[in-house]
């Protein structure tokens, strides 16, 4: 057994075909026999065979050869019978490809199957009968059945021998087709009377080693004289036959004539052939010689057919002729698309000209009927290229974008150039895998949200939403609060954002009076690697809530001290007594204030301006009006629900200070008693006990006390101005209460009364009494805002002044303001 290896490489530019290797092996090799070391012959590493998932692609044919990737060799998978594989075709070869992936490469492999002498010549029939007239002349020819040897070349049929050769000799004639016609030639006339039956042995011998042979018995019956054999009008007939012609088609009629008469001149026709295919395809009428088609003709199976027709008369004389049918190709085969390798998915950032599929296309027709062109039917970013004879590759032709198209159904259509043209198509499904190339995008460029103050911590304020055009993990968006500060405080102490949902929650309760709005930024980050980020600006605006009651700025309500507004008895209707000044730190309608007189000593004497808080007289003051007037004013805002504050305004109706001094002395001791009488009884007992103990101390120190008070009185002044909040602006445009009140106080040594002279400096007078103070009335001049020092007293003690009038012995004095 001899194995030949022929190796050559063909480098093709822009083609995945990297080489070709050919082997020659004899048929009938046992399973597992070595064909060749393809890895060594192609110069491939065994590791490349494994990583590249090397495999053999044989198309639609049986797999006779297998690849051992561990050793890089080709082995016999199934025993090969050359005669079953190729019949009489030479040379006989197996054609297949070895394909590697990552990257895609393939090599052409050709394995030629050489013949061995494993088939002996054989005859279709074991016995052949001849009836020969005794009048047959010397040289009469009798066509014998040819032997069949499925081997080819030197192993094929070589020669014939005939035994015995007393009457006949064997003659071989070469016909136009190069085949040998076996004829038995009468060498010596027959004599029926001597020998009616002859038995001859025809032996066929091939040229193989060892030599094989086959035999057939020829039985000759000698008939009575028939001295004329049939003769065909032509020795060779030729005709063209379209493939796929319908069964029953009459092809031609052959004619043989016999000059004999009677039954000896009757000729019958028959087809003699050494292959079953001819008998299955053609038939001849026995008496007319009409040849008809009884099978299906396929140009791709055989391009011509040769028939041997025998004409025989009743005397056994025969003649033969040959009919050759040339088959005309018809475009009856669609192109066959064989997908050799395909890619299931490709990333969207794949480089230009990336190979996604390799295929082989062939058409069994010939000439223009077998010329195939392939194209892609849809407008996809791919092109198809003919890399070599019959091999095509599909490549990317432009950038891929999964967000534009996540899947492509690539339809490849291949059509031949026959008339009419035939085509085949195949559809490949290619998935585009995602790459993180899209950042999250917010629905808006910026957001604004509102929240009412005094909210509950953890309250959901707003939801930001960003979308990512990518897929799966690359499209999973997380929300992050960007680091920043609001008024020096980290924004994370104000709000938080849910990483998954983008819901913004309030971390604290907001106060509109402290902060009205603030800004921050929210980042949206996808789950890709590396992640892509976008951000958006968010503005939170705090809405005011009516959560602050009005605050009365004037008159000032101080514990233990009383403020009295003086109204002369000569005051006319509409006299401005004072103005209640209040503010509300809320905003909008929550800060709109209205003033109402809740209760008064005499409601018919005073009224309060609803909008400005001015207290004015509504009638003429009379002598019957009480000196001591107490007004309760309620200040109410416009919120829902509304909030309010009350202020008590004490008004003294008098023309002079001494006139109301005793009233104010009692006035300073007025109290609002509690209903709990027990409390006041206990308090009275405690005060009496305290006065009894301290009385002795007071008597001893009175002289020293008087002397000190006299000096203080000499250098002191009376309070002459009312208190107004600085920087106060009347919202109705009436201006601030910029009034200055001056008082002149005169003292006498022998009188228990004093006179107060009022200066003309406005429309109201203020007396402020503080029972706890020591000393005379003093002028309080303060340049600091009372809002800055809310606890600083602006008070004059009338009680101490009253004591001073009874204890001093000075002469009549007048103290300028």
């Amino acid at each position: 057994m001899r194995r030949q290896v022929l190796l050559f490489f063909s480098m093709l530019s822009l083609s995945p075909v990297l080489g070709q290797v050919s082997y020659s092996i004899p048929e009938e090799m046992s399973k597992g026999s070595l064909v060749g070391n393809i890895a060594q012959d192609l110069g491939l590493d065994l590791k490349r065979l494994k990583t590249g998932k090397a495999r053999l692609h044989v198309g639609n044919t049986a797999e006779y050869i297998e690849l051992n990737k561990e050793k890089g060799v080709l082995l016999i998978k199934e025993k090969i019978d050359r005669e079953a594989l190729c019949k009489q075709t030479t040379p006989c070869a197996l054609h297949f490809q070895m394909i590697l992936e990552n990257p895609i490469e393939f090599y052409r492999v050709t394995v030629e199957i050489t013949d061995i002498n494993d088939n002996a010549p054989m005859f279709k029939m074991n016995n052949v009968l001849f009836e020969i007239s005794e009048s047959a002349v010397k040289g009469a020819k009798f066509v014998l059945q040819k032997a069949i040897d499925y081997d080819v070349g030197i192993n094929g049929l070589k020669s014939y021998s005939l035994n015995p050769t007393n009457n006949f000799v064997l003659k071989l004639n070469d016909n136009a087709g190069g085949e040998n016609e076996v004829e038995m030639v009468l060498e010596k006339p027959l004599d029926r009377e001597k020998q009616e039956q002859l038995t001859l042995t025809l032996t066929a011998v091939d040229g193989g080693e060892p030599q094989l042979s086959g035999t057939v018995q020829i039985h000759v019956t000698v008939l009575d004289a028939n001295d004329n054999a049939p003769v065909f009008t032509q020795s060779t007939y030729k005709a063209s036959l379209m493939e796929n012609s319908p069964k029953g088609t009459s092809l031609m009629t052959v004619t043989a004539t016999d000059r004999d008469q009677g039954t000896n001149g009757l000729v019958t026709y028959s087809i003699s052939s050494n292959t079953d295919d001819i008998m299955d395809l053609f038939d001849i009428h026995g008496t007319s010689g009409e040849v008809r088609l009884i099978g299906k003709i396929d140009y791709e199976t055989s391009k011509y057919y040769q028939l041997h027709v025998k004409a025989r008369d009743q005397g056994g004389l025969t003649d033969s002729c040959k009919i050759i049918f040339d088959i005309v190709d018809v475009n009856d085969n669609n192109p066959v698309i064989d997908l050799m390798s395909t890619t299931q998915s490709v990333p969207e950032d794949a480089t230009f000209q990336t190979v996604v599929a390799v295929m082989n296309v062939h058409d069994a027709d010939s000439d223009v009927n077998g010329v195939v062109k392939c194209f892609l039917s849809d407008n996809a970013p791919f092109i198809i290229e003919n890399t070599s004879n019959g091999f095509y590759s599909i490549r990317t032709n432009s950038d891929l974008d999964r967000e534009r198209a996540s899947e492509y159904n690539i339809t490849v259509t291949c059509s031949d150039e026959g008339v009419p043209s035939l085509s085949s198509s195949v559809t490949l499904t290619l998935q585009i895998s995602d790459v993180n190339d899209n950042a999250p995008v917010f629905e808006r460029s910026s957001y604004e949200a509102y929240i009412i103050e005094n909210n509950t911590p953890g309250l959901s304020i707003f939801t930001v939403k960003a979308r990512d055009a990518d897929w799966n993990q690359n499209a999973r968006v997380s929300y992050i609060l960007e680091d920043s500060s609001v008024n020096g405080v980290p924004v994370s102490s104000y709000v938080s954002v849910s990483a998954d949902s983008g819901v913004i929650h309030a971390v604290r309760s907001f106060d509109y009076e402290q902060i009205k709005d603030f800004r921050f930024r929210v980042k949206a980050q996808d789950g890709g690697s590396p992640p892509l980020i976008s951000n958006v600006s968010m503005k939170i605006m705090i809405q005011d809530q009516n959560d602050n009651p009005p605050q009365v700025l004037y008159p000032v309500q101080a514990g233990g001290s009383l403020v009295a507004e003086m109204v002369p008895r000569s005051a006319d209707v509409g006299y401005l007594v004072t103005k209640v000044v209040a503010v509300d730190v809320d905003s909008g309608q929550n800060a709109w204030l209205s003033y109402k007189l809740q209760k008064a000593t005499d409601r018919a004497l005073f009224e309060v301006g609803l909008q400005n808080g001015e207290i004015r007289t509504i009638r003429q003051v009379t002598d019957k009006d009480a000196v001591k007037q107490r007004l309760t004013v309620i200040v109410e805002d416009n919120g829902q629900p509304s909030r309010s504050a009350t202020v008590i305004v004490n008004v003294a109706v008098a023309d002079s200070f001494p006139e109301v001094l005793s009233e104010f002395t009692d006035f300073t001791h007025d109290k609002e008693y509690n209903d709990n009488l027990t409390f006041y009884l206990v308090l009275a007992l405690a005060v009496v006990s305290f006065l009894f103990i301290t009385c002795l101390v007071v008597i001893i120190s009175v002289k020293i006390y008087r002397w000190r008070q006299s000096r203080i009185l000499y250098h002191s002044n009376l309070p002459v101005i009312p208190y107004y909040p600085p920087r106060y602006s009347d919202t109705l445009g009436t201006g601030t209460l910029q009034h200055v009140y001056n008082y002149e106080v005169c003292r006498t040594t022998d009188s228990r009364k004093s006179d107060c002279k009022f200066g003309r400096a406005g429309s109201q007078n203020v007396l402020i009494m503080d029972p706890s103070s020591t000393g005379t009335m003093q002028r309080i001049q303060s340049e600091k805002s009372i809002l800055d020092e809310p606890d600083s007293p602006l008070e004059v003690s009338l009680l101490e002044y009253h004591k001073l009038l009874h204890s001093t012995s000075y002469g009549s004095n007048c103290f300028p303001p």
Side-chain angles (χ1 to χ4, degrees), residues 313-330:
D313 62 17
Q314 298 301 314
L317 299 180
T318 63
D319 192 11
S320 64
C321 70
K322 181 170 60 176
I323 303 175
I324 299 176
F325 289 109
D326 291 322
I327 309 302
V328 179
D329 185 36
V330 175

mmCIF file of all heavy atoms in Angstrom, residues 313-330:
data_model
loop_
_atom_site.group_PDB
_atom_site.id
_atom_site.type_symbol
_atom_site.label_atom_id
_atom_site.label_comp_id
_atom_site.label_asym_id
_atom_site.label_seq_id
_atom_site.Cartn_x
_atom_site.Cartn_y
_atom_site.Cartn_z
ATOM 1 N N ASP A 313 -32.041 -11.433 -36.682
ATOM 2 C CA ASP A 313 -33.108 -12.022 -37.484
ATOM 3 C C ASP A 313 -33.532 -13.349 -36.889
ATOM 4 O O ASP A 313 -32.986 -13.781 -35.868
ATOM 5 C CB ASP A 313 -32.687 -12.166 -38.953
ATOM 6 C CG ASP A 313 -31.484 -13.099 -39.128
ATOM 7 O OD1 ASP A 313 -31.191 -13.870 -38.182
ATOM 8 O OD2 ASP A 313 -30.830 -13.057 -40.183
ATOM 9 N N GLN A 314 -34.488 -13.959 -37.542
ATOM 10 C CA GLN A 314 -35.021 -15.191 -37.001
ATOM 11 C C GLN A 314 -34.026 -16.344 -37.091
ATOM 12 O O GLN A 314 -34.152 -17.338 -36.370
ATOM 13 C CB GLN A 314 -36.296 -15.571 -37.753
ATOM 14 C CG GLN A 314 -37.421 -14.538 -37.605
ATOM 15 C CD GLN A 314 -37.798 -14.326 -36.159
ATOM 16 O OE1 GLN A 314 -37.958 -15.296 -35.424
ATOM 17 N NE2 GLN A 314 -37.932 -13.081 -35.746
ATOM 18 N N GLY A 315 -33.057 -16.154 -37.940
ATOM 19 C CA GLY A 315 -32.045 -17.203 -38.048
ATOM 20 C C GLY A 315 -30.916 -17.032 -37.072
ATOM 21 O O GLY A 315 -29.973 -17.822 -37.060
ATOM 22 N N GLY A 316 -30.975 -16.007 -36.274
ATOM 23 C CA GLY A 316 -29.949 -15.791 -35.259
ATOM 24 C C GLY A 316 -28.842 -14.898 -35.709
ATOM 25 O O GLY A 316 -27.892 -14.663 -34.937
ATOM 26 N N LEU A 317 -28.909 -14.418 -36.986
ATOM 27 C CA LEU A 317 -27.867 -13.508 -37.429
ATOM 28 C C LEU A 317 -28.130 -12.123 -36.833
ATOM 29 O O LEU A 317 -29.275 -11.664 -36.745
ATOM 30 C CB LEU A 317 -27.837 -13.454 -38.955
ATOM 31 C CG LEU A 317 -27.534 -14.771 -39.682
ATOM 32 C CD1 LEU A 317 -27.545 -14.574 -41.180
ATOM 33 C CD2 LEU A 317 -26.211 -15.365 -39.218
ATOM 34 N N THR A 318 -27.088 -11.465 -36.436
ATOM 35 C CA THR A 318 -27.209 -10.168 -35.759
ATOM 36 C C THR A 318 -26.280 -9.150 -36.352
ATOM 37 O O THR A 318 -25.291 -9.485 -37.020
ATOM 38 C CB THR A 318 -26.891 -10.295 -34.259
ATOM 39 O OG1 THR A 318 -25.537 -10.703 -34.118
ATOM 40 C CG2 THR A 318 -27.822 -11.256 -33.564
ATOM 41 N N ASP A 319 -26.634 -7.925 -36.091
ATOM 42 C CA ASP A 319 -25.770 -6.792 -36.393
ATOM 43 C C ASP A 319 -25.941 -5.796 -35.239
ATOM 44 O O ASP A 319 -26.934 -5.862 -34.500
ATOM 45 C CB ASP A 319 -26.137 -6.168 -37.742
ATOM 46 C CG ASP A 319 -25.062 -5.185 -38.212
ATOM 47 O OD1 ASP A 319 -23.972 -5.171 -37.587
ATOM 48 O OD2 ASP A 319 -25.333 -4.416 -39.151
ATOM 49 N N SER A 320 -25.040 -4.928 -35.108
ATOM 50 C CA SER A 320 -25.113 -3.962 -33.998
ATOM 51 C C SER A 320 -24.754 -2.582 -34.493
ATOM 52 O O SER A 320 -24.012 -2.434 -35.476
ATOM 53 C CB SER A 320 -24.182 -4.365 -32.847
ATOM 54 O OG SER A 320 -22.834 -4.332 -33.271
ATOM 55 N N CYS A 321 -25.285 -1.610 -33.788
ATOM 56 C CA CYS A 321 -24.936 -0.210 -34.051
ATOM 57 C C CYS A 321 -24.851 0.532 -32.710
ATOM 58 O O CYS A 321 -25.246 0.013 -31.672
ATOM 59 C CB CYS A 321 -25.947 0.441 -34.977
ATOM 60 S SG CYS A 321 -27.570 0.704 -34.206
ATOM 61 N N LYS A 322 -24.404 1.729 -32.808
ATOM 62 C CA LYS A 322 -24.195 2.525 -31.597
ATOM 63 C C LYS A 322 -24.992 3.827 -31.721
ATOM 64 O O LYS A 322 -24.981 4.453 -32.781
ATOM 65 C CB LYS A 322 -22.718 2.802 -31.399
ATOM 66 C CG LYS A 322 -22.400 3.606 -30.152
ATOM 67 C CD LYS A 322 -20.909 3.625 -29.885
ATOM 68 C CE LYS A 322 -20.177 4.247 -31.055
ATOM 69 N NZ LYS A 322 -18.725 4.369 -30.788
ATOM 70 N N ILE A 323 -25.657 4.194 -30.633
ATOM 71 C CA ILE A 323 -26.388 5.467 -30.577
ATOM 72 C C ILE A 323 -25.758 6.323 -29.488
ATOM 73 O O ILE A 323 -25.623 5.891 -28.342
ATOM 74 C CB ILE A 323 -27.880 5.252 -30.270
ATOM 75 C CG1 ILE A 323 -28.522 4.336 -31.309
ATOM 76 C CG2 ILE A 323 -28.604 6.589 -30.227
ATOM 77 C CD1 ILE A 323 -29.961 3.993 -30.999
ATOM 78 N N ILE A 324 -25.402 7.530 -29.849
ATOM 79 C CA ILE A 324 -24.799 8.470 -28.893
ATOM 80 C C ILE A 324 -25.761 9.644 -28.733
ATOM 81 O O ILE A 324 -26.093 10.328 -29.709
ATOM 82 C CB ILE A 324 -23.424 8.953 -29.363
ATOM 83 C CG1 ILE A 324 -22.448 7.770 -29.500
ATOM 84 C CG2 ILE A 324 -22.870 10.006 -28.414
ATOM 85 C CD1 ILE A 324 -21.098 8.139 -30.046
ATOM 86 N N PHE A 325 -26.194 9.857 -27.464
ATOM 87 C CA PHE A 325 -27.050 10.996 -27.135
ATOM 88 C C PHE A 325 -26.209 12.032 -26.383
ATOM 89 O O PHE A 325 -25.682 11.756 -25.296
ATOM 90 C CB PHE A 325 -28.224 10.560 -26.256
ATOM 91 C CG PHE A 325 -29.248 9.732 -26.966
ATOM 92 C CD1 PHE A 325 -29.376 8.377 -26.695
ATOM 93 C CD2 PHE A 325 -30.090 10.300 -27.917
ATOM 94 C CE1 PHE A 325 -30.331 7.619 -27.341
ATOM 95 C CE2 PHE A 325 -31.035 9.519 -28.568
ATOM 96 C CZ PHE A 325 -31.157 8.182 -28.299
ATOM 97 N N ASP A 326 -26.097 13.214 -26.971
ATOM 98 C CA ASP A 326 -25.451 14.332 -26.276
ATOM 99 C C ASP A 326 -26.527 15.089 -25.488
ATOM 100 O O ASP A 326 -27.510 15.573 -26.064
ATOM 101 C CB ASP A 326 -24.781 15.281 -27.266
ATOM 102 C CG ASP A 326 -23.572 14.637 -27.926
ATOM 103 O OD1 ASP A 326 -22.862 13.905 -27.224
ATOM 104 O OD2 ASP A 326 -23.361 14.861 -29.130
ATOM 105 N N ILE A 327 -26.320 15.197 -24.181
ATOM 106 C CA ILE A 327 -27.313 15.826 -23.302
ATOM 107 C C ILE A 327 -27.092 17.337 -23.312
ATOM 108 O O ILE A 327 -25.980 17.814 -23.108
ATOM 109 C CB ILE A 327 -27.245 15.273 -21.870
ATOM 110 C CG1 ILE A 327 -27.285 13.729 -21.901
ATOM 111 C CG2 ILE A 327 -28.365 15.828 -21.021
ATOM 112 C CD1 ILE A 327 -28.516 13.168 -22.569
ATOM 113 N N VAL A 328 -28.189 18.062 -23.567
ATOM 114 C CA VAL A 328 -28.140 19.519 -23.580
ATOM 115 C C VAL A 328 -28.588 20.038 -22.200
ATOM 116 O O VAL A 328 -29.654 19.656 -21.712
ATOM 117 C CB VAL A 328 -29.044 20.087 -24.691
ATOM 118 C CG1 VAL A 328 -29.001 21.625 -24.678
ATOM 119 C CG2 VAL A 328 -28.616 19.550 -26.046
ATOM 120 N N ASP A 329 -27.728 20.882 -21.620
ATOM 121 C CA ASP A 329 -28.016 21.379 -20.267
ATOM 122 C C ASP A 329 -29.215 22.330 -20.274
ATOM 123 O O ASP A 329 -29.372 23.151 -21.174
ATOM 124 C CB ASP A 329 -26.792 22.108 -19.697
ATOM 125 C CG ASP A 329 -27.000 22.536 -18.245
ATOM 126 O OD1 ASP A 329 -27.655 21.785 -17.509
ATOM 127 O OD2 ASP A 329 -26.498 23.618 -17.869
ATOM 128 N N VAL A 330 -30.030 22.201 -19.267
ATOM 129 C CA VAL A 330 -31.153 23.101 -19.018
ATOM 130 C C VAL A 330 -30.967 23.680 -17.619
ATOM 131 O O VAL A 330 -30.508 22.998 -16.701
ATOM 132 C CB VAL A 330 -32.499 22.339 -19.121
ATOM 133 C CG1 VAL A 330 -33.653 23.272 -18.724
ATOM 134 C CG2 VAL A 330 -32.717 21.831 -20.522
#
